[in-house]
Amino acid sequence: MLVLVMLVAAQALLAPQKREVFAQVADGESQLECPEQVDASTIVVLDMPTPYDETVRKEVSARVAEQLSAGGRGVHRLTVFSTLQSPERAAAPVTSVCSATPEWSRLIGWLPNAMPGTRGALMKALDNAVRLAQPDSARMPVSRLLADISVTQYLRAPRNTITVFSDLLEDSPRFSLRRCDSGESAVSSYREMRRGALERPQFGNTFVSLNLAPVLGVTGKTIDCRNHFWRWFFSDIEGPQAGLNFSYLPGGVELSATKEETTR
C-alpha cells in the first residue's frame, strides 16, 4: 500500500512538469522543450566561409548524429551556432531543441515513438543551418563565438560536447592566423585584442571535437600559427568528461586572395 501511495504521489508531482516540458508543434509531432536542467548538451559550431557541398553536409550530419546517440540516458539538448551573424552582437543560437531517451520518456509518460520525429527535426534544423553559408556575409570570428558560448547556459550540463566545423584559419583586421609571424605572436595578438573580456574560455566536463575543413595552398608558417594558437585556446578543459579530438573533413578548397578578402 505504501508503495502504491508513493507511485500516485510521484505521478502527481510529475504531471505539472510534463505539461511544462512538452508541447505540440504545428505538424502534430511531439517536441520536447528544454527544461532548466538537462543531462547532456551537444553544441554544434558552424564556421563556413564557403558553402559545404553535399558530401560534406552529409558528413556533418553523420558526425553530429553519432554524438547525439552517444549522449547517454535522459534529456539531451542540441544547440547549433553559426559564425554567420553580426560580430557586433552577443552570440545567439540558430536553434536549440531537446530530445529524451525512451527510458526517460516512459518515466514521465511520454510516448517513445515520438522520438524519431524529434530527432529528425533536430537533424533538419542542423542541415538548414549548414546550407546558410554566404561568402560575402558578415561573420563573427569563431574564437569569439566559442568564448561567448563557454559562459552561457548551453554548457552547464553534467556532460557537454562542442563539435566545431571550421578551417580554423581565423582572419580579421584585428587578429589573423593567415598573416601571423609565429604561434607565440598569434597568442599575444589575440590576448591584446581580448583585453577587458574573457580571453581563453574554460570548458568544464566538456569534450571538444574539432572537425577541420581542409584548405589547400597555405604555408607551413600559417599551419604552425594555427596549431599553436588552438592548442593554447583549448588548454583549459577540466573534468571527468573533458577531452579534445581533432579530425579532418573530406574535400579541400583552394586558398585565394578573394576568399581572404571576403572573410575578413
Side-chain angles (χ1 to χ4, degrees):
M1 179 63 71
L2 179 60
V3 174
L4 179 61
V5 171
M6 292 177 64
L7 287 174
V8 172
Q11 289 180 348
L13 289 172
L14 285 170
Q17 179 186 6
K18 180 180 173 182
R19 286 195 296 271
E20 293 175 4
V21 172
F22 296 106
Q24 290 295 117
V25 293
D27 60 4
E29 290 183 349
S30 295
Q31 177 174 311
L32 177 61
E33 296 179 342
C34 294
E36 291 184 3
Q37 298 294 327
V38 297
D39 300 289
S41 179
T42 292
I43 292 177
V44 177
V45 175
L46 301 172
D47 177 35
M48 302 166 296
T50 58
Y52 290 171
D53 61 29
E54 187 66 23
T55 299
V56 177
R57 287 200 298 267
K58 289 181 178 179
E59 185 61 27
V60 169
S61 295
R63 295 187 186 188
V64 173
E66 181 180 2
Q67 293 192 348
L68 289 175
S69 299
R73 300 176 61 180
V75 183
H76 197 148
R77 173 163 52 197
L78 169 67
T79 306
V80 180
F81 287 87
S82 173
T83 57
L84 189 63
Q85 57 181 290
S86 171
E88 306 302 322
R89 298 178 178 270
V94 175
T95 186
S96 185
V97 189
C98 283
S99 62
T101 56
E103 296 86 355
W104 194 91
S105 302
R106 284 194 293 269
L107 176 64
I108 65 169
W110 192 46
L111 295 178
N113 61 9
M115 279 297 298
T118 303
R119 181 62 57 84
L122 299 187
M123 301 312 297
K124 182 177 180 181
L126 173 66
D127 187 63
N128 289 339
V130 171
R131 296 173 186 270
L132 286 176
Q134 299 174 14
D136 57 348
S137 298
R139 275 184 164 72
M140 178 179 288
V142 65
S143 61
R144 155 75 190 284
L145 181 59
L146 288 165
D148 278 5
I149 291 171
S150 71
V151 295
T152 65
Q153 59 178 309
Y154 304 105
L155 272 183
R156 294 176 186 161
R159 304 185 306 275
N160 304 283
T161 301
I162 298 180
T163 306
V164 182
F165 297 94
S166 172
D167 61 17
L168 296 180
L169 290 174
E170 192 167 307
D171 188 26
S172 66
R174 296 184 62 193
F175 174 70
S176 174
L177 290 174
R178 294 181 181 170
R179 294 176 280 112
C180 77
D181 295 324
S182 67
E184 291 79 6
S185 66
V187 171
S188 177
S189 175
Y190 176 81
R191 296 186 67 181
E192 180 65 28
M193 179 189 68
R194 296 288 293 177
R195 187 185 299 274
L198 177 69
E199 292 183 358
R200 180 173 59 195
Q202 295 178 326
F203 299 106
N205 291 325
T206 301
F207 185 85
V208 180
S209 175
L210 301 179
N211 299 268
L212 189 67
V215 179
L216 307 177
V218 295
T219 65
K221 180 187 292 186
T222 297
I223 296 298
D224 290 342
C225 283
R226 181 193 67 187
N227 294 346
H228 183 97
F229 173 77
W230 291 110
R231 278 198 300 268
W232 170 83
F233 188 87
F234 287 111
S235 61
D236 201 353
I237 304 177
E238 299 179 344
Q241 307 294 328
L244 179 64
N245 178 63
F246 174 91
S247 60
Y248 278 97
L249 287 167
V253 296
E254 195 77 32
L255 185 65
S256 65
T258 301
K259 182 184 175 185
E260 286 186 345
E261 291 296 327
T262 57
T263 55
R264 287 178 188 172

